[in-house]
């Protein structure tokens, strides 16, 4: 099992999760985070830290696409271990549907 970040993170990018991760397996894109599924140790401490409920276990239905999505971007984006301010749109975008069309493949700053 591993944890993944889904599209609930897009345009929010809360980073509360990165501070509690014991193995630094979060990677930062321009407008969301992902978890490297091969680095995640399945401890689950990040899941309750996410205000947008964007972190889920891969054992839930239809998570295979998110495992591959997280793998793809964690291999090209920089690692993030330090909490940052969420995106300015975070409160407004939290819980909105159809956020994949807002997704950016661009990397974040990391750090």
């Amino acid at each position: 099992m591993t944890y993944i970040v889904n599209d609930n993170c897009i345009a929010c990018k809360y980073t509360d999760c990165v501070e509690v991760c014991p193995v630094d397996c979060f990677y930062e894109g321009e407008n969301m985070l992902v978890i490297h599924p091969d680095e995640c140790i399945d401890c689950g401490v990040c899941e309750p830290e996410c205000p947008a409920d964007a972190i889920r276990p891969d054992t839930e239905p239809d998570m295979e696409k998110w495992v591959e999505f997280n793998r793809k971007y964690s291999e090209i984006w920089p690692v993030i271990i330090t909490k940052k301010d969420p995106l300015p749109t975070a409160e407004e975008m939290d819980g909105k549907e159809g956020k994949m069309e807002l997704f950016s493949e661009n990397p974040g700053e990391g750090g």
Side-chain angles (χ1 to χ4, degrees):
M1 187 179 92
T2 187
Y3 284 83
I4 57 85
V5 179
N6 63 30
D7 56 340
N8 289 344
C9 186
I10 298 170
C12 292
K13 199 166 87 171
Y14 292 103
T15 57
D16 307 64
C17 52
V18 303
E19 285 195 320
V20 299
C21 180
V23 294
D24 302 334
C25 65
F26 281 89
Y27 292 80
E28 183 184 15
E30 181 177 34
N31 68 352
M32 78 174 291
L33 304 176
V34 292
I35 295 172
H36 195 301
D38 298 330
E39 295 173 1
C40 177
I41 60 170
D42 314 327
C43 68
V45 297
C46 60
E47 187 180 18
E49 297 299 318
C50 181
D53 195 31
I55 300 172
R56 311 299 310 156
D58 72 343
T59 54
E60 291 185 358
D62 301 319
M63 287 295 146
E64 299 82 15
K65 70 179 181 184
W66 289 110
V67 171
E68 291 311 310
F69 180 94
N70 277 246
R71 177 176 279 110
K72 176 182 178 178
Y73 291 102
S74 65
E75 291 176 355
I76 57 176
W77 289 348
V79 70
I80 178 171
I81 59 172
T82 306
K83 183 177 177 177
K84 300 178 180 181
D85 290 335
L87 293 177
T89 57
E91 284 187 33
E92 171 191 338
M93 294 303 295
D94 189 0
K96 295 250 181 184
E97 294 290 321
K99 293 191 338 180
M100 273 310 294
E101 60 192 44
L102 302 173
F103 172 70
S104 169
E105 292 187 348
N106 296 328
E109 297 176 3

